[in-house]
Amino acid sequence: MNTPVEGFSKLTKTQKIDWIANNCTKDPKGTKQVLEQYWNMDPRVQKLHDEFIENTISNYYLPFAIAPNFKINGEIFAIPMAIEESSVVAAASKAAKFWLERGGFKAEIIGTEKVGQVHFIYKGGTEKLSNFFISAKPELLKSVATITQSMEKRGGGINTIELRDLTDKIDGYYQLHCTFETLDAMGANFINSCLEQFAKTLKEQALLFEAFSEEEKNIEVVMSILSNYVPDCLVKAEVSCPIADLGNADMPAEAFAEKFVQAVNIAKVEPYRAVTHNKGIMNGIDAVVLATGNDFRAVEAGIHAYAAKDGQYSSLSHAKIEDGIFRFWIEVPLALGTVGGLTTLHPLVKLALEILQNPSAKQLMQIVAVAGLAQNFAAVRSLVTTGIQKGHMKMHLLNMLNQLGATEEEKRKMVKHFKDETVTNASVKEALERIKSK
């Protein structure tokens, strides 16, 4: 039975493993073997991984794959993807090949502005606070000069600081709403450092502002933190071609285009469908974000907030037919970095960026958005033609056979058998039993 432990973080790695194995698992020896078999054979690499986070006892592997043949703005990319879900890489690759022959993907940056806020409580007159902010703003900027100096030399820094009155939502609630340009860095540490200094200076300047009463001088800073909602750090990716070029064996070109647009429109108005629709987009986006050492949780949160920006959760992608041309596009907020964090520490992250020709943050935004659009195209294309299960379950077949303990020879026979058969758990078990009995 699991019991509380004192000072777990102070234990050595071996002691942590012993405690977990003995207190939380039924087979301590087997537990240790599983944990150790996922350690890197190079002690230096393992030490690097151990120090990424706290209380590390092993590594959790995800497949690191490549989706080739992405033509983006005329240049060909092989895109690294880290993901565990069957069919994602295959679907993205299939979409990339499809559009390679139809002009490829176009991508453009709409904006790169990021946001941070100082949230505070002020008990007093709003006009008086506005006058104080005007007088304090130069001091706020001056107080972060040493923090912003390096970023400004490269062309980034603080774009704006504004005072926002939110007392209609919470009594006495105001904020400093700040925008930043962080160039090739994701910028979280830079932004948070600026915000915390703003908060300190705000309180100091309030104590000196003569127009304030004693109560008004005591501004209460609640918190200072960046926002992962970045609607002005936006990228657009799209594909287009004459409807006639969409033809395939599953459906006539015009019928396919019309049905595809209908499917996207359904995701625009039906939140239950929109969530799954957008999840498919995130299959592509998250896989590249993770492979390149970026924060996929922040990206997920920001993108889903953007999907609900008009008051109802809706499709992130759009499609239309106009003058005989099929267009499919996406606009998503992406705060990404290609310097700092894991980008300079994790060997596979460095390799992933090298495979992508060491992109700038703007270029990576475009690549990631294209991966999401490609994944969405592949998913919707399957849904409106053959159905999603035919291709997905074929890709899932090997996982099922591994779970059932199939030999390599049995796997070969099963793959051949299911080339033209429907894959289900029951049909796979039945077919494998027949092969084993021969």
Side-chain angles (χ1 to χ4, degrees):
M1 180 179 177
N2 196 353
T3 56
V5 57
E6 291 290 336
F8 185 76
S9 63
K10 295 181 175 62
L11 299 178
T12 66
K13 181 177 177 180
T14 299
Q15 289 171 332
K16 290 185 179 90
I17 291 172
D18 286 340
W19 188 87
I20 285 291
N22 293 323
N23 288 275
C24 303
T25 70
K26 295 178 180 179
D27 179 11
K29 184 178 178 181
T31 296
K32 293 177 185 179
Q33 288 176 341
V34 169
L35 292 174
E36 290 174 6
Q37 76 184 60
Y38 283 93
W39 291 355
N40 195 286
M41 290 183 292
D42 185 336
R44 293 172 301 176
V45 175
Q46 184 55 53
K47 188 173 187 297
L48 185 67
H49 283 68
D50 286 346
E51 293 176 354
F52 284 159
I53 59 172
E54 306 79 21
N55 296 339
T56 305
I57 58 175
S58 191
N59 306 315
Y60 185 89
Y61 289 179
L62 287 176
F64 183 85
I66 295 293
N69 300 322
F70 275 86
K71 187 177 184 180
I72 305 173
N73 295 337
E75 187 176 353
I76 304 295
F77 289 90
I79 299 183
M81 306 181 87
I83 191 167
E84 88 298 341
E85 186 172 337
S86 301
S87 78
V88 169
V89 177
S93 301
K94 188 174 181 180
K97 185 177 180 182
F98 181 91
W99 287 107
L100 178 68
E101 301 164 357
R102 294 163 176 80
F105 296 83
K106 307 291 189 298
E108 63 175 311
I109 300 298
I110 298 173
T112 57
E113 195 169 70
K114 295 163 189 173
V115 174
Q117 298 164 323
V118 177
H119 306 268
F120 65 94
I121 303 298
Y122 162 79
K123 304 290 187 180
T126 300
E127 184 177 350
K128 199 182 291 186
L129 182 65
S130 296
N131 292 334
F132 161 69
F133 173 70
I134 292 169
S135 69
K137 187 175 179 179
E139 292 300 319
L140 291 170
L141 292 170
K142 182 180 176 181
S143 71
V144 296
T146 56
I147 301 172
T148 61
Q149 184 178 17
S150 178
M151 186 69 76
E152 288 172 350
K153 284 181 179 178
R154 302 196 301 274
I158 299 164
N159 290 343
T160 63
I161 312 176
E162 64 179 74
L163 175 68
R164 291 192 172 181
D165 180 354
L166 296 167
T167 53
D168 61 321
K169 302 182 187 307
I170 299 176
D171 185 38
Y173 172 38
Y174 296 84
Q175 65 178 224
L176 297 184
H177 186 88
C178 313
T179 61
F180 302 82
E181 174 58 61
T182 62
L183 305 171
D184 286 337
M186 188 274 175
N189 290 331
F190 168 76
I191 293 171
N192 286 335
S193 294
C194 289
L195 294 172
E196 289 185 2
Q197 182 58 55
F198 283 158
K200 182 180 178 182
T201 303
L202 183 75
K203 289 175 65 69
E204 291 172 349
Q205 291 298 307
L207 294 173
L208 301 175
F209 191 61
E210 293 183 355
F212 277 164
S213 67
E214 287 303 310
E215 182 183 16
E216 290 168 336
K217 287 181 178 182
N218 291 314
I219 286 175
E220 178 193 350
V221 172
V222 179
M223 55 186 167
S224 310
I225 187 69
L226 90 164
S227 173
N228 291 129
Y229 184 45
V230 285
D232 294 318
C233 190
L234 202 63
V235 57
K236 179 180 180 180
E238 68 175 306
V239 288
S240 63
C241 71
I243 291 176
D245 291 351
L246 294 172
N248 59 71
D250 298 315
M251 188 179 292
E254 188 169 338
F256 168 75
E258 290 176 353
K259 201 171 183 183
F260 191 103
V261 172
Q262 286 177 335
V264 174
N265 287 340
I266 288 170
K268 283 179 176 294
V269 301
E270 170 50 69
Y272 282 90
R273 171 59 199 143
V275 170
T276 309
H277 180 89
N278 290 345
K279 186 269 181 184
I281 292 171
M282 298 314 298
N283 278 343
I285 288 177
D286 280 349
V288 187
V289 170
L290 191 56
T292 56
N294 278 275
D295 186 344
F296 71 93
R297 287 90 48 197
V299 167
E300 281 268 2
I303 287 179
H304 290 305
Y306 189 77
K309 69 183 187 304
D310 296 323
Q312 174 177 295
Y313 191 88
S314 182
S315 168
L316 290 162
S317 61
H318 315 272
K320 71 176 182 178
I321 299 168
E322 193 172 57
D323 299 326
I325 301 296
F326 169 82
R327 285 188 61 220
F328 181 49
W329 73 99
I330 190 172
E331 291 182 6
V332 285
L334 288 170
L336 303 175
T338 56
V339 299
L342 286 187
T343 61
T344 54
L345 288 174
H346 199 299
L348 273 180
V349 168
K350 288 194 284 186
L351 180 59
L353 292 171
E354 183 181 353
I355 290 169
L356 291 172
Q357 308 306 303
N358 294 311
S360 65
K362 288 182 179 180
Q363 290 169 327
L364 184 59
M365 287 170 66
Q366 294 174 337
I367 292 166
V368 170
V370 163
L373 187 68
Q375 190 65 33
N376 193 214
F377 177 80
V380 176
R381 185 188 188 196
S382 292
L383 283 169
V384 301
T385 54
T386 61
I388 202 73
Q389 284 300 86
K390 181 180 178 181
H392 179 73
M393 291 306 287
K394 284 271 173 66
M395 292 303 301
H396 196 52
L397 177 59
L398 285 179
N399 284 342
M400 297 167 68
L401 292 173
N402 283 329
Q403 290 173 357
L404 294 169
T407 66
E408 292 302 314
E409 177 62 18
E410 288 167 346
K411 289 178 189 176
R412 185 187 64 78
K413 291 179 179 178
M414 290 286 283
V415 168
K416 183 178 180 180
H417 171 77
F418 280 101
K419 185 177 181 180
D420 299 309
E421 297 288 334
T422 301
V423 176
T424 67
N425 285 313
S427 65
V428 170
K429 286 181 180 179
E430 183 180 338
L432 183 60
E433 287 171 3
R434 284 200 306 268
I435 290 174
K436 285 182 177 292
S437 66
K438 290 181 179 179

